[in-house]
Amino acid sequence: MKQGRTILAVLLLLLAAGCSAEKEQSKKTADEPSSKTSDEADYTIIEASAQQIEHIQGIGYPGNDTGLYLSSSDGLKFYKDGIWHETTSLNHDYMGFQAVKEGFIVSGQPDKNSVIKNPLGIVKSTDKGASFKNLAFSGTSSFPFLAAGYDTNIIYMINQDKSEELEAGVYRSQDAGKTWETVSLKGLEADTLGMIAAHPTHPEIMAMSTRSGIFFSQDRGETVKLVSDPVMATALAFTENSLYYAYADQEKVQMSKIDLETMENSQIKIPFLSYDNPITYIAADNKSKGRLAISTYLKDLYESADSGANWQLLLKNGRIE
């Protein structure tokens, strides 16, 4: 868990030895029933009290709500109608948060008062975190690096450590977690991995950030190609027609957009961020064209309603007043 909270792990994950040479193999997991907890009846979303968020571990716009979700080491936070909200119970240590059409997919460790198996494995919620359906690896593993297609069944994950179920490496599931296969990443000219992004509606399209730039695939990660300058890329996210990515270049934090039809890059204007405060997550609202959010290593959070032309500060240093 500590590894997922260092700046190196936020920016880049060292490529597991032998990952690119590993032969593709399928792994099966049981489709377990939904997880229920004794706290579920008391689960309520209320206006948030003044607090300091310790770790931002993901952001996104689930399709079954209108707010911006923030996953943290102390549960979910919700920004809606200009107000921050929080939950009254089930404050799980969320990692790998991925917004999808029906809700969200996530990993991590359960609240100490919960009866959910520890670690979470990969789970899905369709009721704003009140309950979960187990998708894979319940009670055996947690995954800080996940990607999920908003309106598809595809999930990508990076398995950092060898386990009884999987070798270390990059995997995908094309059936919402029932089976898993290795991702070949042929053409990856980098010795590191970072964030993975899945296109919201086209399951064959994915991309990955690395210390050497953004690598793009149109065959579910079997082959990839560099589509950016060789920069230290720290975060990325798809919209229907674009791929947004953040990077550190010449001691500046910057953000660009790739047009998926022409593959041309264009610069996005963002608020000034110091080099020690890189962008860690980018989220796009698939229901509201132009709505974006970015979070940073020092827990700043910005939102744009016009594809990045203007930005509103929602959090400074993770402080909810």
Side-chain angles (χ1 to χ4, degrees):
M1 183 60 205
K2 291 181 180 178
Q3 184 178 6
R5 289 177 178 163
T6 67
I7 187 168
L8 289 178
V10 169
L11 299 180
L12 304 161
L13 178 64
L14 291 177
L15 181 61
C19 170
S20 60
E22 187 177 357
K23 294 182 180 179
E24 185 167 315
Q25 55 182 312
S26 179
K27 303 289 184 179
K28 294 185 179 293
T29 62
D31 187 10
E32 299 182 32
S34 298
S35 297
K36 302 294 184 181
T37 78
S38 58
D39 304 280
E40 189 172 320
D42 299 324
Y43 185 89
T44 306
I45 297 173
I46 61 172
E47 185 171 343
S49 60
Q51 60 189 273
Q52 175 73 53
I53 295 174
E54 186 177 0
H55 300 286
I56 295 178
Q57 298 180 167
I59 55 175
Y61 296 96
N64 63 344
D65 203 353
T66 59
L68 172 61
Y69 283 43
L70 181 154
S71 71
S72 77
S73 55
D74 186 33
L76 292 173
K77 315 298 175 185
F78 314 84
Y79 187 79
K80 190 173 181 179
D81 299 325
I83 299 172
W84 278 103
H85 299 80
E86 62 184 350
T87 59
T88 56
S89 62
L90 307 182
N91 293 315
H92 307 305
D93 184 350
Y94 288 107
M95 296 185 290
F97 182 89
Q98 296 292 303
V100 294
K101 188 174 183 179
E102 303 87 1
F104 61 87
I105 291 170
V106 76
S107 186
Q109 298 173 327
D111 186 311
K112 63 182 180 180
N113 297 316
S114 173
V115 298
I116 297 176
K117 290 182 180 179
N118 185 15
L120 293 177
I122 301 175
V123 297
K124 181 177 182 178
S125 177
T126 58
D127 54 10
K128 305 177 185 179
S131 66
F132 295 104
K133 177 183 179 181
N134 296 320
L135 301 183
F137 312 112
S138 174
T140 63
S141 301
S142 61
F143 304 97
F145 296 90
L146 291 176
Y150 176 83
D151 200 18
T152 70
N153 285 322
I154 201 160
I155 304 172
Y156 294 89
M157 63 88 163
I158 300 175
N159 188 40
Q160 296 177 255
D161 302 304
K162 180 179 179 180
S163 67
E164 293 182 1
E165 297 164 296
L166 296 175
E167 297 290 328
V170 182
Y171 292 83
R172 68 170 172 261
S173 173
Q174 301 184 71
D175 51 15
K178 292 182 178 66
T179 61
W180 294 87
E181 55 197 0
T182 55
V183 180
S184 297
L185 298 174
K186 295 175 183 176
L188 181 69
E189 299 175 351
D191 61 356
T192 62
L193 301 177
M195 299 294 179
I196 303 173
H199 191 276
T201 60
H202 296 290
E204 70 277 8
I205 296 177
M206 59 85 74
M208 176 176 289
S209 64
T210 77
R211 188 164 56 192
S212 302
I214 297 294
F215 286 82
F216 178 82
S217 175
Q218 292 179 293
D219 57 9
R220 297 170 172 84
E222 287 305 288
T223 60
V224 297
K225 64 178 180 179
L226 184 66
V227 291
S228 73
D229 290 335
V231 293
M232 182 178 287
T234 61
L236 74 173
F238 281 102
T239 63
E240 184 65 29
N241 301 311
S242 303
L243 172 61
Y244 288 83
Y245 68 96
Y247 58 99
D249 183 40
Q250 299 179 350
E251 298 190 357
K252 291 179 64 178
V253 175
Q254 303 193 60
M255 185 170 169
S256 289
K257 178 179 73 171
I258 298 173
D259 184 301
L260 295 181
E261 182 176 352
T262 64
M263 298 309 291
E264 293 181 352
N265 275 258
S266 58
Q267 196 78 14
I268 301 297
K269 185 178 180 180
I270 59 172
F272 171 78
L273 297 170
S274 60
Y275 192 70
D276 64 348
N277 191 26
I279 294 172
T280 50
Y281 298 101
I282 304 171
D285 188 346
N286 288 282
K287 307 187 305 300
S288 180
K289 186 176 180 180
R291 190 182 184 196
L292 300 170
I294 57 175
S295 65
T296 74
Y297 178 69
L298 297 180
K299 295 169 290 189
D300 299 332
L301 179 66
Y302 294 88
E303 187 176 48
S304 173
D306 50 18
S307 301
N310 297 279
W311 295 92
Q312 177 187 3
L313 180 64
L314 306 186
L315 279 181
K316 182 65 176 176
N317 300 130
R319 185 69 189 173
I320 296 177
E321 302 294 345

